[in-house]
């Protein structure tokens, strides 16, 4: 855990200067701006309380109050520097007595979780030994914490001004020597929780600080300020593309029932730290109320991995406290390591149960990637989870022939309404007579160049599938193989029809191939590759998360792949495990980075080729 160092600073700096000031002059360069330009957005959760690119020619508006200036300080809009468009906010403060300039955004009452996101270009430093501020967090008129550029060293510094420390503030250098005259992207995430507050900071999309034990002394945040409170902070700052989001920690009040909230991949279960799950036994783990998730959620999405199983078997995931369904989520052989994405309802106790249907014990690992908001789904693109039930089992009809297809009814079956946009189901191939792959797509449409599940002769392999439903209410599965295969489909839920517009609603696509390293070069050992989702293939910028089928092929060694938002720290999680020479698929649900991309890390001693087929995305 990061430890903050303490240093004495004048307690008077805690005060937010609001009284006895004059408003800044009207911007002289407003005519050069582009009024009506779309405002900035990002993938972070919460209600957007401010989003400004200052193209309107004014700082006030878009969630910000009128700027506060005094003495020789000025706050206006300038075309001299900008990150995007033609304009940015410009704050200028001198060393003259009483000079100051700042502007701020009030937050909704009770906000205790805030994301601040913006671009800064400090072109002129102030007085050595002081600072030029970036984001400052207030409770009432008291500053809780802020990030600033030290005028002497150029370092990016976190300062915590907890009132419980009687003026003995704490400081932490996050990044050395931020150059003057260059644009830099800064994101700060704060969850106010007294002595155990969370603070995370990213500079230029790299995580530079993360702690859940910061003593802020407050449980709510009321205002975000940008700019200087006094003349010792003299300098010239240009600010652009600012987005501030706020909510109650872990809450999703701003999102409608059935919409999705992504989270950075987080490990919530690893029986290797305790004991394996016994034969024909179950284990449950807490989802609701942990790792930033709200106390009530409808369903959870997590990557499930079985490892070190002592016998053949399968795992069934279901809501804790309910009857175990006749379905499987993950099939395995003895000593095999197998992953699969799981979407499952959460029990009334906030837990999910995993049953090990095997004659031997197995270790289980679960990495959560998001959850669906509780309540009755009623908006287009919202998800309705179902207790797993079987939609298709070709073992009773002779199987699917080589290079042949089978279609099965989704709409109107097993509690699914007659009109749905897309369906989520677990697909299992078994008794395959030859190697090959299966492609799932909307019935009545052209078969896409994509795969959902790869298999070898005699192998039993599962994979989760998210796919649009055809106009006839069916889904088609094509067996691209030289032999017959048996296919089984167990439904997990469905997405409501219509044109999705709500934050967190799902828009099904294709599937569409968005990455294939076989056309370029493989991903090296312990190396990463990223691919664009937002802003390409019909996906809007600012999309929250993507669902895609990831396939590893021709790996030179055993290993695993971790998917995570581009520009963030790689989490302790896995999405796909493989052996040398193996072709293995797995469905992945992952948040998008601020650059609209997803990173894939090859944790292996050898190179591997990666293929990604996009199934859809969640709206910003």
């Amino acid at each position: 855990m990061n430890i903050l160092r303490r240093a004495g600073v004048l307690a008077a700096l805690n005060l937010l200067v609001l009284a006895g000031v004059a408003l800044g002059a009207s911007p002289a360069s407003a005519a050069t701006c582009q009024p009506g330009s779309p405002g900035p957005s990002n993938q972070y959760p919460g209600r957007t309380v401010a989003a400004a690119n200052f193209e309107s020619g004014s700082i006030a508006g878009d969630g910000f109050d009128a700027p506060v200036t005094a003495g020789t300080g000025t706050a206006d809009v300038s075309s001299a520097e900008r990150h995007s468009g033609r304009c940015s906010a410009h704050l200028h403060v001198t060393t003259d007595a009483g000079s100051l300039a700042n502007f701020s955004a009030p937050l909704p009452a009770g906000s205790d979780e805030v994301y601040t996101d913006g671009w800064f270009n400090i072109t002129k430093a102030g007085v050595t030994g002081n600072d030029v501020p970036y984001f400052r967090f207030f409770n009432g008129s008291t500053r809780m914490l802020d990030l600033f550029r030290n005028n002497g060293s150029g370092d990016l510094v976190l300062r915590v001004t907890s009132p419980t420390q009687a003026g003995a503030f704490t400081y932490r250098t996050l990044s050395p020597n931020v150059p003057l005259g260059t644009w830099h992207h800064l994101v700060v995430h704060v969850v106010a929780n007294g002595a155990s507050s969370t603070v995370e900071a990213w500079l230029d999309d790299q995580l530079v600080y993360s702690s859940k034990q910061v003593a802020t002394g407050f449980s709510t945040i009321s205002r975000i300020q940008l700019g200087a409170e006094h003349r010792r902070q003299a300098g010239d700052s240009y600010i652009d593309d600012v987005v501030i989001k706020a909510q109650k920690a872990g809450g999703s009040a701003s999102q409608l029932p059935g919409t999705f909230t992504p989270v950075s991949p987080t490990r919530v279960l690893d029986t290797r730290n305790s004991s394996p799950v016994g034969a024909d036994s179950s284990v449950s783990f807490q989802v609701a109320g942990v790792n930033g998730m709200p106390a009530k959620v409808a369903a959870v999405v997590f990557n499930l991995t079985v490892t070190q199983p002592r016998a053949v078997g399968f795992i069934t995931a279901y809501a804790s406290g309910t009857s175990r369904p006749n379905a499987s989520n993950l099939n395995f052989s003895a000593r095999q390591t197998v992953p699969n994405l799981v979407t499952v309802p959460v029990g009334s106790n906030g837990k999910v149960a995993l049953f090990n249907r095997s004659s031997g014990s197995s270790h289980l690992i679960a990495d959560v990637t998001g959850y669906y908001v509780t309540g009755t789904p009623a908006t287009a693109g919202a998800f309705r989870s179902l207790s797993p039930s079987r939609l298709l089992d070709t073992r009773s009809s002779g199987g699917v022939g080589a290079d042949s297809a089978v279609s099965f009814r989704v709409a109107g079956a097993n509690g699914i309404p007659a009109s749905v946009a897309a369906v989520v189901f677990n697909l299992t191939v078994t008794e395959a007579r030859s190697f090959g792959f299966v492609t799932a797509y909307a019935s009545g449409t052209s078969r896409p160049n994509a795969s959902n599940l790869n298999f070898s002769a005699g192998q039993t392999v599962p994979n989760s599938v998210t796919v649009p439903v055809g106009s006839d209410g069916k889904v088609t599965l094509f067996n691209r193989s030289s032999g017959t295969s048996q296919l089984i489909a167990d439904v997990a839920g469905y997405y409501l029809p219509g044109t999705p517009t709500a934050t967190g609603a799902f828009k099904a696509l294709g599937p569409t191939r968005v990455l294939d390293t076989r056309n370029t070069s493989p991903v090296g050992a312990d190396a990463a590759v990223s691919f664009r989702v937002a802003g390409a293939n019909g996906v809007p910028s600012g999309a929250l998360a993507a669902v895609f089928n990831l396939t590893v092929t021709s790996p030179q060694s055993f290993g695993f792949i971790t998917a995570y938002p581009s520009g963030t720290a790689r989490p302790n999680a896995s999405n796909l495990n493989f052996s040398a020479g193996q072709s293995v698929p797995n469905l992945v649900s992952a948040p998008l980075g601020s650059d609209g991309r997803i990173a894939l890390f090859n944790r292996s001693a050898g190179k591997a080729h990666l293929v990604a087929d996009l199934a859809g995305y969640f709206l910003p």
Side-chain angles (χ1 to χ4, degrees):
M1 187 64 64
N2 292 319
I3 304 298
L4 300 179
R5 295 181 300 165
R6 303 180 181 222
V9 177
L10 292 175
L13 299 188
N14 283 340
L15 299 178
L16 172 64
V17 180
L18 290 174
V21 297
L23 297 183
S26 299
S29 55
T32 68
C33 303
Q34 299 169 300
S37 297
S41 63
N42 60 31
Q43 83 283 7
Y44 301 114
R47 170 187 168 188
T48 300
V49 296
N53 52 19
F54 307 105
E55 294 298 328
S56 67
S58 173
I59 291 177
D62 296 322
F64 289 109
D65 289 342
V68 173
T69 62
T72 52
T74 60
D76 56 21
V77 171
S78 171
S79 61
E81 296 284 348
R82 64 272 192 185
H83 168 250
S84 67
R86 296 180 181 177
C87 292
S88 65
H90 177 215
L91 300 180
H92 172 70
V93 182
T94 73
T95 57
D96 295 340
S99 180
L100 63 88
N102 61 62
F103 62 98
S104 58
L107 306 182
S111 297
D112 56 3
E113 180 173 20
V114 178
Y115 281 90
T116 60
D117 179 353
W119 288 82
F120 296 83
N121 184 355
I122 299 174
T123 59
K124 180 181 178 181
V127 178
T128 299
N130 287 275
D131 54 76
V132 179
Y134 293 104
F135 290 117
R136 327 191 86 186
F137 294 74
F138 284 82
N139 178 280
S141 61
T142 303
R143 175 162 45 91
M144 302 163 52
L145 61 91
D146 61 357
L147 274 82
F148 61 82
R149 182 188 184 276
N150 183 283
N151 283 332
S153 64
D155 295 343
L156 174 66
V157 180
L158 167 68
R159 171 173 49 194
V160 181
T161 57
S162 170
T164 63
Q165 299 181 48
F169 303 158
T170 60
Y171 293 78
R172 177 79 177 187
T173 297
L174 308 188
S175 183
N177 192 20
V178 179
L180 291 173
T182 55
W183 283 100
H184 296 279
H185 186 206
L186 186 65
V187 177
V188 185
H189 174 215
V190 175
V191 181
N193 188 28
S196 300
S197 296
T198 295
V199 177
E200 296 177 295
W202 292 262
L203 178 66
D204 294 332
D205 301 324
Q206 297 297 317
L207 184 68
V208 293
Y209 183 78
S210 178
S211 174
K212 294 183 179 180
Q213 298 298 322
V214 179
T216 64
F218 291 103
S219 58
T220 59
I221 307 166
S222 60
R223 180 176 292 268
I224 302 298
Q225 185 190 78
L226 298 91
E229 293 173 333
H230 58 83
R231 65 190 179 92
R232 288 184 300 273
Q233 296 169 339
D236 276 281
S237 299
Y238 293 89
I239 305 169
D240 205 355
D241 295 333
V242 179
V243 181
I244 298 174
K245 292 186 176 181
Q247 64 178 358
K248 293 185 177 180
S252 296
S254 62
Q255 287 187 227
L256 298 174
T259 58
F260 182 72
T261 298
V263 300
S264 294
T266 304
R267 185 147 291 174
V268 293
L269 174 71
D270 191 340
T271 65
R272 296 174 300 180
N273 298 327
S274 53
S275 57
V277 184
D280 284 343
S281 299
S282 64
V283 64
S284 63
F285 60 95
Q286 188 73 32
V287 173
V290 299
N291 297 299
M293 287 183 280
K296 290 186 177 181
V297 298
V300 66
V301 180
F302 62 95
N303 197 70
L304 173 64
T305 303
V306 63
T307 190
Q308 303 172 27
R310 295 188 174 180
V312 65
F314 63 86
I315 304 296
T316 298
Y318 56 104
S320 176
T322 66
S323 299
R324 176 164 51 94
N326 176 32
S328 64
N329 294 88
L330 189 154
N331 299 69
F332 53 86
S333 301
R335 298 180 298 278
Q336 193 177 23
T337 297
V338 183
N340 198 14
L341 191 72
V342 174
T343 300
V344 65
V346 176
S348 59
N349 59 359
K351 295 183 177 182
V352 168
L354 303 173
F355 185 84
N356 176 30
R357 173 69 282 277
S358 173
S359 61
S361 63
S362 302
H363 277 298
L364 300 178
I365 303 167
D367 297 316
V368 167
T369 60
Y371 62 89
Y372 289 96
V373 177
T374 190
T376 303
T379 187
F383 180 74
R384 176 68 180 269
S385 63
L386 296 173
S387 180
S389 60
R390 192 142 288 174
L391 291 174
L392 173 72
D393 191 340
T394 65
R395 293 176 297 183
S396 60
S397 59
V400 184
D403 284 343
S404 298
V406 62
S407 296
F408 62 96
R409 178 158 295 280
V410 172
N414 296 58
I416 303 172
S419 180
V420 294
V423 64
V424 179
F425 61 92
N426 197 70
L427 173 64
T428 304
V429 63
T430 189
E431 301 175 21
R433 294 186 178 179
S434 178
F435 71 92
F437 63 87
V438 175
T439 299
Y441 54 103
S443 174
T445 66
S446 300
R447 175 163 53 95
N449 176 33
S451 64
N452 294 88
L453 189 154
N454 298 67
F455 54 87
S456 300
Q459 195 176 24
T460 297
V461 184
N463 198 16
S464 185
V465 173
T466 298
V467 64
V469 177
S471 58
D472 59 358
K474 296 182 178 182
V475 166
T476 298
L477 304 175
F478 186 85
N479 176 30
R480 174 70 280 276
S481 172
S482 60
T484 299
S485 301
Q486 302 290 351
L487 300 179
I488 303 167
D490 297 317
V491 68
Y494 60 89
Y495 292 99
L496 273 60
T499 301
T501 58
T503 297
F506 182 72
K507 172 66 174 178
L509 297 174
T512 304
R513 184 145 293 173
V514 290
L515 173 71
D516 191 339
T517 65
R518 296 173 300 182
N519 297 328
T520 52
S521 58
V523 184
D526 283 345
V529 65
S530 68
F531 63 94
R532 177 167 297 282
V533 176
N537 300 296
V539 181
S541 60
L544 298 180
V547 178
F548 60 96
N549 197 69
L550 174 64
T551 303
V552 63
T553 189
S554 306
Q556 295 178 342
S557 177
F558 69 92
F560 63 85
I561 304 296
T562 298
Y564 56 102
S566 173
T568 68
R570 175 165 51 94
N572 176 32
S574 64
N575 295 86
L576 189 154
N577 300 68
F578 53 86
S579 301
Q582 194 177 25
S583 290
V584 184
N586 198 22
L587 193 69
V588 175
S589 175
L592 303 184
S594 59
D595 58 359
R597 304 174 74 90
I598 289 174
L600 304 174
F601 185 85
N602 174 28
R603 173 70 280 275
S604 172
K607 299 177 182 178
H609 277 297
L610 300 179
V611 182
D613 296 316
L614 185 66
Y617 63 90
F618 295 96
L619 272 65

